[in-house]
Amino acid sequence: MQHESLWNEAVAFTRSKSPASFEQWFSGVQFDGMTDGVVSLRARDEFVREWVDQHFLPTLLDYLRSQTGWSMQIAWSVGGELERPVASSRGEPAEGRARTLSNGAHAVRATDDVGAPSANDEPPVSRRPVTAKTSAPPLEGLNPKYTFANFVVGPSNQLAHAAAIGAAGGVGPRHNPLFLCGGTGLGKTHLVHAVAHRIRAERPQSRILYVSAEKFVNEFVQALQENRMSEFRSRYRERCDVLLIDDIQFLASKTQTQEEFFHAFNALHQADKQIIFTSDKYPQQLERMEERLVSRFSWGLVADIQGPELETRVAILRKKAQMEQIDLADEVVLYLAQTIRSNVRELEGTLIRLAAKSSLLGRLVDLDFARQEIAATTSPRANEAGVDDIQRVVCHHFKLRTSDLLSKDRHKSIAFARHVAMYLCKQRLKCSFPELGRAFGNRDHTTVMSAVRKVQHLRTTDPDVRAHLEALERKLGTND
Ligand code: ADP
Ligand code: MG
């Protein structure tokens, strides 16, 4: 087939430009045909697709264009068996190699199954230190592993996940802006990157701008200093179809940047360009942020992410272990998920650390090993929730906004939730009544005292109240 030979030429050309890693990546890619200027490719997984897309396709497409005079498009499909990969799989991506971590009979092998010892001076993967653990360098600030496929959905993040899919142009309504908030390490950045990956895959011509708010501030300041404001403005107002701003709380107190951002927001929003924010707080809780910005943050949808439930933590561990090719016994998974409750980043970090350590020591990760490691490295208070967390969990439970809890609203249901939150804070945290008063919208300490007493009383007399408290305590985890 004529097309196939053209494709083969393009492949040979691309290989000649980057011989080192070509085989690795193209062993995960299959050519499914070429018609009407569209090249159909299949990738073994999302990760391979992203990588090849980024690193090889520009060269490949340039070659095809030079030969045919057409601009070619790529149609990707992802997953499934590859019967005829473009390259042989001799040199798979280095991180794809097993580090075995198991309850089973086999310890980590000192020389793994890469095949004959390699001629270069890289040590076998299983002997590499922790740094060999995971991902490739980030692409334009995007982590290739933060995809929807790698995101575990549970009750705690369902809304945020669905909203992110919608914002990426998938099923469901598209809210603009979308404001994702929640505590640290709960997957906000992961979701935003997933949106970017999805849009890039489905609408490659869309101009996506992903920046942390910190970077936005720095760029702004630099543009001011160097008299390049018009360039800066055109970057954020005109040359942008999707704006993703991570950790918007960083704009706090940056008055001038807020002003600039306000105009960028308006321009984009008016042009119906999708905007997504992440933040560690709800809009109303952001301090030293202009009111008009705070109100705009809530124009679309505010979706929060809570700490994951046990089942979700288990599923996340399984997914990460699978991605990192770590073989982990069920009882170890469960133990880790039960012990590390505060955030996913910590959960993941512990998993990777255990894997690395077991590999270095040549010791299996059984329950004992996991216990020892965790006892040695976690401080007893590390998993404790703060007032913020308790307020968030209570609001989620009663379907209120945190701002309601802090407000002067005396509606019965709101006041009840507020009292419950105060009670839980008093039970679980070492805060004084005046401290709690301040944390609940600057209330008097006597208000907190009477709220706590009231809930204490209701707990023993009203089964409904007891049920609410027990459910909330389950969500917050044991208080030890
Ligand atoms: P945040 O931005 O909220 O602080 P991140 O998005 O950086 O948190 O997430 C921290 C780590 O936890 C990342 O490695 C991310 O992949 C992982 N993570 C968080 N939530 C999930 C989830 N639901 N499924 C899979 N991984 C998750
Ligand atoms: Mg983040």
Side-chain angles (χ1 to χ4, degrees):
M1 187 175 85
Q2 184 202 348
H3 282 152
E4 187 138 46
S5 65
L6 178 59
W7 165 257
N8 287 337
E9 274 174 37
V11 164
F13 178 76
T14 310
R15 185 188 268 125
S16 73
K17 293 280 171 199
S18 38
S21 54
F22 182 91
E23 307 293 327
Q24 295 180 356
W25 293 102
F26 276 84
S27 66
V29 176
Q30 174 168 309
F31 172 69
D32 280 343
M34 194 187 323
T35 40
D36 299 335
V38 177
V39 182
S40 301
L41 298 179
R42 173 178 299 280
R44 184 175 51 214
D45 56 36
E46 194 69 24
F47 189 43
V48 170
R49 186 191 67 69
E50 287 287 341
W51 189 270
V52 169
D53 224 20
Q54 277 297 305
H55 295 263
F56 296 102
L57 286 190
T59 310
L60 213 144
L61 291 174
D62 274 347
Y63 182 85
L64 291 174
R65 191 181 312 118
S66 72
Q67 297 302 304
T68 60
W70 311 324
S71 263
M72 298 274 192
Q73 303 284 322
I74 299 289
W76 278 108
S77 48
V78 175
E81 276 301 300
L82 304 184
E83 287 145 20
R84 299 168 280 109
V86 174
S88 79
S89 59
R90 267 196 26 245
E92 273 179 16
E95 65 259 356
R97 284 294 155 197
R99 285 180 321 236
T100 306
L101 180 68
S102 135
N103 62 326
H106 51 304
V108 173
R109 285 153 291 182
T111 42
D112 62 14
D113 51 358
V114 172
S118 53
N120 64 25
D121 49 13
E122 277 208 327
V125 176
S126 61
R127 280 204 203 132
R128 281 192 214 159
V130 190
T131 48
K133 78 178 169 57
T134 50
S135 57
L139 322 169
E140 306 160 20
L142 291 184
N143 185 327
K145 293 192 177 174
Y146 288 179
T147 57
F148 282 121
N150 290 338
F151 191 82
V152 174
V153 185
S156 54
N157 57 32
Q158 205 166 23
L159 174 65
H161 174 261
I165 299 248
V171 286
R174 188 168 77 83
H175 299 281
N176 202 16
L178 171 60
F179 192 96
L180 300 174
C181 56
T184 174
L186 296 184
K188 303 181 296 294
T189 298
H190 186 136
L191 274 181
V192 170
H193 287 202
V195 170
H197 291 314
R198 172 71 58 90
I199 294 179
R200 201 161 55 179
E202 291 182 354
R203 299 194 300 276
Q205 68 292 357
S206 257
R207 294 162 303 181
I208 305 169
L209 209 46
Y210 167 81
V211 284
S212 63
E214 182 174 7
K215 182 148 180 268
F216 184 86
V217 172
N218 292 338
E219 283 185 18
F220 171 66
V221 171
Q222 203 176 358
L224 268 184
Q225 284 167 350
E226 297 171 1
N227 269 325
R228 288 187 295 100
M229 273 315 291
S230 60
E231 192 187 314
F232 178 86
R233 291 195 171 128
S234 112
R235 172 167 154 84
Y236 284 98
R237 300 185 195 180
E238 285 124 39
R239 286 185 287 127
C240 169
D241 300 313
V242 181
L243 179 62
L244 310 170
I245 301 227
D246 212 353
D247 291 319
I248 193 73
Q249 74 274 1
F250 193 83
L251 285 196
S253 311
K254 315 274 188 320
T255 329
Q256 227 185 330
T257 316
Q258 287 182 27
E259 164 88 25
E260 183 61 32
F261 182 71
F262 173 76
H263 295 293
F265 177 95
N266 288 342
L268 293 175
H269 194 268
Q270 260 162 31
D272 195 28
K273 309 289 188 174
Q274 179 69 48
I275 305 166
I276 306 183
F277 301 105
T278 75
S279 163
D280 67 353
K281 300 195 179 60
Y282 284 88
Q284 296 84 354
Q285 289 177 319
L286 289 168
E287 283 160 15
R288 292 172 310 245
M289 188 76 82
E290 275 191 52
E291 199 44 48
R292 55 185 188 170
L293 272 181
V294 169
S295 85
R296 275 164 178 76
F297 292 155
S298 320
W299 270 2
L301 177 72
V302 176
D304 63 1
I305 305 185
Q306 303 286 331
E309 301 72 15
L310 179 66
E311 292 80 354
T312 313
R313 298 201 293 274
V314 167
I316 290 174
L317 275 174
R318 292 226 164 93
K319 167 134 273 169
K320 301 283 174 187
Q322 177 209 336
M323 283 170 67
E324 303 297 329
Q325 306 205 356
I326 298 168
D327 185 7
L328 210 56
D330 282 352
E331 55 176 9
V332 177
V333 171
L334 191 61
Y335 173 71
L336 292 179
Q338 276 168 340
T339 318
I340 301 165
R341 300 179 306 246
S342 55
N343 79 56
V344 181
R345 187 176 295 130
E346 206 181 315
L347 202 60
E348 194 177 347
T350 307
L351 173 71
I352 300 294
R353 208 176 55 239
L354 278 174
K357 198 132 185 205
S358 101
S359 159
L360 285 172
L361 298 179
R363 234 197 103 169
L364 307 174
V365 174
D366 53 16
L367 204 48
D368 275 347
F369 185 49
R371 279 215 181 96
Q372 278 171 24
E373 263 312 293
I374 287 182
T377 51
T378 28
S379 69
R381 297 176 62 86
N383 295 326
E384 199 172 81
V387 174
D388 278 7
D389 301 300
I390 293 180
Q391 289 175 340
R392 252 200 302 273
V393 170
V394 170
C395 286
H396 189 72
H397 180 81
F398 290 110
K399 304 198 168 40
L400 298 173
R401 293 159 167 261
T402 310
S403 56
D404 294 330
L405 278 197
L406 311 186
S407 72
K408 299 277 174 260
D409 196 326
R410 289 165 184 267
H411 263 89
K412 213 170 147 201
S413 60
I414 294 179
F416 175 65
R418 188 182 295 135
H419 293 166
V420 165
M422 288 173 173
Y423 167 85
L424 288 169
C425 287
K426 190 62 200 167
Q427 298 297 307
R428 306 174 75 89
L429 308 176
K430 308 208 166 23
C431 296
S432 65
F433 285 116
E435 272 172 328
L436 285 179
R438 279 194 293 280
F440 280 83
N442 262 329
R443 291 183 150 74
D444 194 74
H445 71 279
T446 53
T447 314
V448 183
M449 284 169 74
S450 74
V452 170
R453 247 184 254 123
K454 194 150 129 196
V455 175
Q456 228 147 21
H457 175 69
L458 287 172
R459 177 166 206 149
T460 56
T461 53
D462 184 334
D464 277 353
V465 173
R466 192 165 61 236
H468 278 305
L469 290 172
E470 282 169 2
L472 282 163
E473 280 161 352
R474 266 196 307 281
K475 288 184 191 175
L476 285 164
T478 51
N479 188 25
D480 47 20

